């Protein structure tokens, strides 16, 4: 996925406070106050890495492995991989909001009730 393909992710995260475009590990990413909460996965076209609480990660991967998965690198880590072509906008928006909430300071979370 090119940086232009990242536009959907950017648009769906646009309502979250203090979000900025950046790079992480050489791929396009979104950060909240300098902390990355999602990025494109290098060498895996159309896959997004999102931060997520471990319990939720396990539940999502178990329930919908066609959408959510991990590689050994992410095992035990509060991040999972999302197949962008398999997830709709509302669901992706929710994953981005959750990832943002993992990294955002408490004062920002209060602004949106997260």
């Amino acid at each position: 996925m090119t940086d232009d393909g990242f536009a959907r992710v950017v648009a769906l995260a646009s309502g979250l406070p203090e979000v900025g475009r950046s790079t992480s590990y050489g791929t396009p990413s979104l950060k909240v106050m300098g902390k990355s909460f999602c990025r494109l996965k290098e060498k895996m076209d159309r896959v997004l890495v999102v931060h997520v609480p471990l319990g939720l990660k396990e539940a999502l991967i178990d329930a919908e492995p066609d959408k959510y998965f991990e590689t050994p690198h992410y095992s035990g880590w509060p991040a999972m991989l999302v197949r962008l072509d398999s997830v709709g906008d509302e669901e992706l928006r929710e994953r981005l909001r959750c990832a943002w909430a993992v990294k955002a300071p408490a004062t920002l979370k209060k602004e949106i009730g997260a």
Side-chain angles (χ1 to χ4, degrees):
M1 175 185 279
T2 65
D3 186 44
D4 292 340
F6 195 59
R8 176 181 175 220
V9 173
V10 172
L12 292 172
S14 66
L16 299 168
E18 300 295 329
V19 171
R21 288 183 75 159
S22 188
T23 59
S24 181
Y25 297 97
T27 66
S29 74
L30 292 179
K31 295 182 179 183
V32 55
M33 299 190 70
K35 294 181 179 181
S36 178
F37 65 92
C38 73
R39 70 175 183 87
L40 289 179
K41 177 80 174 112
E42 72 281 351
K43 299 181 185 174
M44 295 183 102
D45 195 34
R46 312 233 10 118
V47 172
L48 188 72
V49 179
V50 295
H51 287 267
V52 62
L54 284 173
L56 179 58
K57 170 186 170 175
E58 292 165 1
L60 288 168
I61 290 172
D62 286 346
E64 300 186 88
D66 57 316
K67 295 179 185 178
Y68 308 111
F69 68 106
E70 69 179 349
T71 60
H73 176 78
Y74 293 100
S75 181
W77 186 255
M80 69 178 177
L81 303 170
V82 179
R83 290 180 180 93
L84 291 172
D85 291 338
S86 297
V87 65
D89 285 354
E90 289 305 313
E91 192 170 355
L92 182 54
R93 184 179 285 114
E94 183 56 31
R95 296 288 71 78
L96 292 169
R97 179 184 163 103
C98 181
W100 176 90
V102 167
K103 294 294 187 162
T107 53
L108 280 183
K109 288 185 225 183
K110 286 180 185 176
E111 284 185 29
I112 66 164

